[in-house]
Amino acid sequence: MEGLLAIVIGVLYASGVYMLMRRSIVKLIIGLALLAHGASLLVFTAAGLTRAVPPVIPEGAKAITGTVADPLPQALILTAIVISFGVQAFAMVLAYRAYQTVGTDDLDGMKATDT
Amino acid sequence: MIVVVLSGFALALLAPSLYRLSARWAGCVFSIFPAVLALWFLSHMGEVVGGHGLRFTYPWIPAMGLELSFNLDGLGLLFALAITVVGTLIITYAGSYLHGHPSLPRFYLFILMFMASMLGVVLSDNLIALFVFWELTSVTSYFLIGYDHDKDTARAAALQALIVTGTGGLALMAGVLLMGQIGGSFEISALAADNAAVQGHRLYPLVLALVFAGAFTKSAQVPFHFWLPSAMEAPTPVSAYLHSATMVKAGVYLLARLSPVLGGSDIWLYVVTGFGAATMLVSAYQALYQTDLKKILAYSTVSVLGTLTMLIGLGGKYAIQAAMVFLMAHVLYKAALFLVAGSIDHETGTRDVRQLGGLRKTMPIICAGAAVGALSMAGLPPFFGFVGKEALYEALTHDNVLVTVVGVLTSMLLFAVAWLAGIRPFSGEETHTPKHPHDPPWTMWLGPVFLGCLSVLFGLMPALPEKLLSAAAGSVLGKEVHMHLALWHGFNALLVLSLVTFALGVLVYLNLARLQRVTEFALPVVRRGPSQWYALWLRFLNWSAVGQTRVLQNGYLRLYLATIMTVTAVLAWYTFLAHADAGVIEFNWGDIGVHEWVLGIVALVASIATVRAKTFLRAVVALGVVGYSVALFFVLYGAPDLAMTQFLIETLSLILFVFVFYYMPPFKRFSTRPVIMRHAAIGTAVGALFTLLVLVATSVQWHPTISTYFSANSYLMGQGRNIVNVILVDFRGFDTLGEITVLAVAGIGVYSLIRLRLGKGGDS
């Protein structure tokens, strides 16, 4: 099953990188979002996949018994999701204000310091 | 001794404030300091010439085996006396010469700092310490040459000197480190005691080349000599001090100091002697057709530095003895002549020898000092310069005919140069000069007169400095030396050579005009060679810097990204294909359920649809599908917390996207087809790289996972059953704090951007 996810991750990265290189600033932000998804899945898959058993200690037990999903990458990804949301939100508002001021979403049109 | 070396730095830092207390007498007051140091060195003369050098060691960085060790032997003492005695005279002189100059406090700061650094160079036994002081002399020299910083020629000259000597300094640093590595010690005395370790090593030629690069640039050997005449932009006291008596001799000092370690081999002999001989002849010749008094002196200084280098290259008893005598003679007459040149400039307003004449009537005291200096430089008896020249000839005739011829030719040229610089401005008819000249105050004639007296005294009684010079030669040769100096050796071959030199010198001087015409016509290469190479090199550097900045820092985000991504992909792919074992990769297709296939294909299609979307809304919808698929993957593989967060955040950011960009027009097509293809190729390469990365990562487990610790302790230590949550709020609590901070900052940013009202066209 890692094979399937590896391909999904590859395509997410490919489209993310491609979008980052567009001239439209909106597409650039979409590229950021795609990359964030790719990165989450990358960390998730690379740590090894376990089906269906969340890392929760059952009632009454003191520690995990049996095989569960790895909790550490999940904690990392949780942080990553939230932070990438913060970045995207800021980038969106920044791009919007820039668009309002400059009148274009073309990055090449934003090279001058005067508006 | 550490006090002796370092107190100069302390005084230098205080100098600007002390100057404010008494601007008028600051020069005289500051000159007391080097005078005291000179007396201190003189008081140790007995021990040093007796063969008991002083040695002081302070632990500097004991962990690295580095010590701040100072060693006062004959060679060090000779240089230290030159530095402090000339320093005393220079600082006295400068007080009057630069009187009223607005940045005079800064001058004292740098000149005192320079003096302390120079003492550090000649007294350090540790190579690293020596290098540090060496670089300090370069830096202070930069500030002193550029003292008149509102003149762009001064700034250019300062920069030139810094670049040339600084480049040499870098080479020297490499040489020093290498020498210490292969020799097993950074102490020069230890290296000298066992020089076979360095000389027998296969890197010995490299060490030599690096040390030579440092010494030759500092001591202005051809072809690096051009910076020294340019440095005449400095105020005259600086030229007299740094560029004749002390700093430019640091290279010679280094060669002499290291000759017990590195010298004696054939490479040493031919390279050092060759550079020295070329320098002495070429620059003596160049001195002849200068018109600026200071440049004449500068080129003749370069010539003397060449002579000293050659003598050290030749090695052996006679050559080293001659080097020490010649060096002392040069310090005495050249510093005096520079100070004379400064006084002439100060009093008449010009340094052009064609405009000067008849000054003997108006400046009698300076004239006397100049005459003694010039006659000593010309090598006439009974001055010390004569003794120096005799010693030189003795050494050269002991060697071979070729160096003797070079030596005689150089002395002949310098004879004419001495006349040109020291006698001609005072003889003949009085000329009209910008200012009406008269003798300067005592502070400005003290230097030339004092040094002139020493030239006469040592010339008449050469036994006086004999012991010091013997000790200096002894510390270079590594054995006891008993020199015998005398003014009159009887009528022998040396005297004949001297007489021939004088005759030829007179001939050259009388035919000066004719010689200059020939030179202008015939030798433009020699005239401007290396300094033009330097200019070309600088232009090339600037040009390539501008060019590469234009290419690399072009201001287009996509080009930066394309460069970074391409380089990353190429390097990683290359490493993988060249080195990795492709067998470690398992393409694990087994046990994929139907629902997983469906989900995977949906994610693929959605992400391609995001890229290909024509309008903003379609792109956002497709992006949403990607996000929800990712969340479903989390559900499938045991991560309900992630799935919940992902659903929430994805929804939130979709709403935000739509809110912010709802009114955006459809996407325009900015890029041409080739650009799109290129970017697609880069994207594909990066994407494939990550696919590969995942496959490698899942096939290989290098270390046991640390999650076992969290799993085992989550309930016991963190009192929580949901391990992911315990990690976030407990084990890695500070990470989460950082995350919240990032979110808060982003929130503040968003808020202030929305509230921001721009002066023009801003409405929100």
Side-chain angles (χ1 to χ4, degrees), chain B residues 324-334 376 384-386 388 455:
Chain B
M324 296 305 136
V325 181
F326 206 69
L327 188 143
M328 184 180 229
H330 178 249
V331 169
L332 294 181
Y333 71 71
K334 190 54 68 62
S376 184
F384 196 58
F386 176 74
S455 276

Side-chain angles (χ1 to χ4, degrees), chain A residues 1-31 33-35 37-38 40-64 68-97 99-101 103-108 111 114-115, chain B residues 554-558 561-562 565 587-593 596-597 600 603-604 607-608 610-611 616 619 623 626-627 630 633-634 636-642 645-646 649-650 652-653 656-657 660-661 664-665 667-668 670-671 675-676 679-680 682-684 686-687 690-691 693-695 697-698 705-707 710-712 714-716 720-724 727-728 739 742-743 746 749-750 753-758 760 762-764:
Chain A
M1 54 197 166
E2 282 87 359
L4 177 66
L5 272 170
I7 290 174
V8 173
I9 291 165
V11 171
L12 282 176
Y13 266 93
S15 19
V17 168
Y18 176 81
M19 291 297 261
L20 279 185
M21 290 188 283
R22 299 301 88 213
R23 265 168 69 176
S24 161
I25 197 168
V26 181
K27 285 192 176 181
L28 191 148
I29 296 169
I30 293 174
L34 285 171
L35 265 192
H37 291 319
S40 303
L41 275 187
L42 174 76
V43 175
F44 193 63
T45 316
L49 296 175
T50 314
R51 276 214 177 86
V53 196
V56 177
I57 301 171
E59 279 302 325
K62 289 228 156 75
I64 288 289
V68 295
D70 195 338
L72 184 62
Q74 296 193 15
L76 294 178
I77 295 166
L78 210 56
T79 311
I81 293 174
V82 177
I83 294 221
S84 64
F85 170 71
V87 172
Q88 282 168 35
F90 182 73
M92 272 186 240
V93 177
L94 185 66
Y96 174 68
R97 292 303 309 234
Y99 172 70
Q100 270 192 330
T101 314
T104 177
D105 70 329
D106 180 7
L107 279 171
D108 285 9
K111 280 182 59 138
D114 302 325
T115 55
Chain B
N554 46 41
Y556 293 100
L557 178 68
R558 59 180 176 280
L561 282 172
M565 294 296 170
F587 225 98
N588 191 351
W589 291 112
D591 80 62
I592 303 180
E596 286 166 344
W597 274 113
L604 289 181
S607 71
I608 289 167
T610 317
V611 173
F616 167 72
L623 182 64
V626 174
V630 171
F633 273 119
F634 292 149
L636 285 181
Y637 297 108
D641 295 298
L642 286 189
T645 318
Q646 177 74 22
I649 294 280
E650 194 58 40
L652 209 56
S653 54
L656 200 60
F657 255 116
V660 173
F661 292 125
M664 289 289 286
F667 290 137
K668 287 193 207 90
F670 290 121
S671 309
V675 173
I676 290 177
H679 288 172
I682 296 172
T684 312
V686 175
F690 276 91
T691 301
L693 185 68
V694 174
L695 291 174
T698 49
T705 165
I706 53 169
S707 302
F710 296 125
S711 305
S714 170
Y715 183 71
L716 297 176
R721 298 192 179 279
N722 185 330
I723 305 174
V724 176
I727 293 177
L728 282 175
E739 174 197 346
V742 171
L743 267 193
V750 168
L753 273 174
I754 290 174
R755 300 282 301 176
L756 173 75
R757 286 171 196 279
L758 296 172
K760 186 171 67 173
D763 57 337
S764 58

Side-chain angles (χ1 to χ4, degrees), chain B residues 253-572:
Chain B
Y253 167 82
L254 186 76
L255 291 177
R257 179 57 87 200
L258 290 180
S259 68
V261 183
L262 300 173
S265 63
D266 275 355
I267 322 180
W268 172 280
L269 174 69
Y270 291 118
V271 174
V272 179
T273 312
F275 269 91
T279 305
M280 64 193 271
L281 199 56
V282 169
S283 50
Y285 187 63
Q286 280 180 297
L288 269 184
Y289 50 79
Q290 304 300 320
T291 51
D292 179 348
L293 203 50
K294 279 178 74 181
K295 290 220 165 159
I296 299 175
L297 293 173
Y299 275 107
S300 73
T301 304
V302 176
S303 172
V304 170
L305 294 170
T307 310
L308 294 172
T309 306
M310 186 185 76
L311 286 171
I312 291 168
L314 289 174
K317 183 167 162 250
Y318 292 106
I320 298 297
Q321 286 180 359
M324 296 305 136
V325 181
F326 206 69
L327 188 143
M328 184 180 229
H330 178 249
V331 169
L332 294 181
Y333 71 71
K334 190 54 68 62
L337 284 176
F338 263 111
L339 294 181
V340 166
S343 301
I344 291 177
D345 187 18
H346 194 257
E347 292 301 322
T348 64
T350 179
R351 297 196 306 246
D352 191 330
V353 280
R354 290 165 304 188
Q355 293 184 25
L356 294 168
L359 292 175
R360 67 183 179 283
K361 291 171 197 147
T362 44
M363 304 170 73
I365 306 177
I366 290 292
C367 174
V372 173
L375 295 176
S376 184
M377 177 174 167
L380 286 169
F383 304 100
F384 196 58
F386 176 74
V387 180
K389 191 164 55 53
E390 294 285 283
L392 172 69
Y393 283 171
E394 191 178 2
L396 297 182
T397 48
H398 270 92
D399 214 280
N400 65 41
V401 182
L402 187 64
V403 288
T404 314
V405 172
V406 173
V408 171
L409 286 177
T410 306
S411 300
M412 158 193 101
L413 293 170
L414 285 187
F415 182 91
V417 171
W419 221 264
L420 187 64
I423 306 293
R424 195 162 111 173
F426 298 94
S427 59
E429 287 299 304
E430 247 179 283
T431 52
H432 181 73
T433 51
K435 283 202 270 185
H436 186 68
H438 54 80
D439 258 332
W442 68 270
T443 45
M444 285 179 69
W445 56 251
L446 179 71
V449 168
F450 182 80
L451 293 170
C453 289
L454 283 184
S455 276
V456 177
L457 187 69
F458 289 170
L460 291 173
M461 283 184 280
L464 277 179
E466 215 172 60
K467 280 196 174 142
L468 173 62
L469 294 170
S470 301
S475 47
V476 178
L477 292 165
K479 59 185 178 200
E480 259 189 58
V481 174
H482 294 289
M483 228 187 265
H484 181 67
L485 296 175
L487 197 57
W488 178 249
H489 282 284
F491 194 81
N492 56 13
L494 300 181
L495 195 65
V496 175
L497 272 184
S498 284
L499 292 176
V500 171
T501 311
F502 299 148
L504 288 173
V506 172
L507 215 62
V508 170
Y509 182 72
L510 293 178
N511 291 299
L512 207 52
R514 214 166 294 161
L515 211 62
Q516 278 167 344
R517 271 203 301 280
V518 175
T519 309
E520 301 239 330
F521 179 69
L523 282 174
V525 184
V526 181
R527 280 187 69 186
R528 333 211 154 95
S531 61
Q532 279 202 339
W533 305 341
Y534 167 82
L536 278 177
W537 172 242
L538 271 199
R539 261 178 39 207
F540 168 75
L541 278 184
N542 277 334
W543 172 81
S544 62
V546 169
Q548 66 100 1
T549 309
R550 202 167 285 151
V551 171
L552 295 178
Q553 304 292 324
N554 46 41
Y556 293 100
L557 178 68
R558 59 180 176 280
L559 292 183
Y560 297 161
L561 282 172
T563 312
I564 294 169
M565 294 296 170
T566 311
V567 172
T568 313
V570 166
L571 285 181

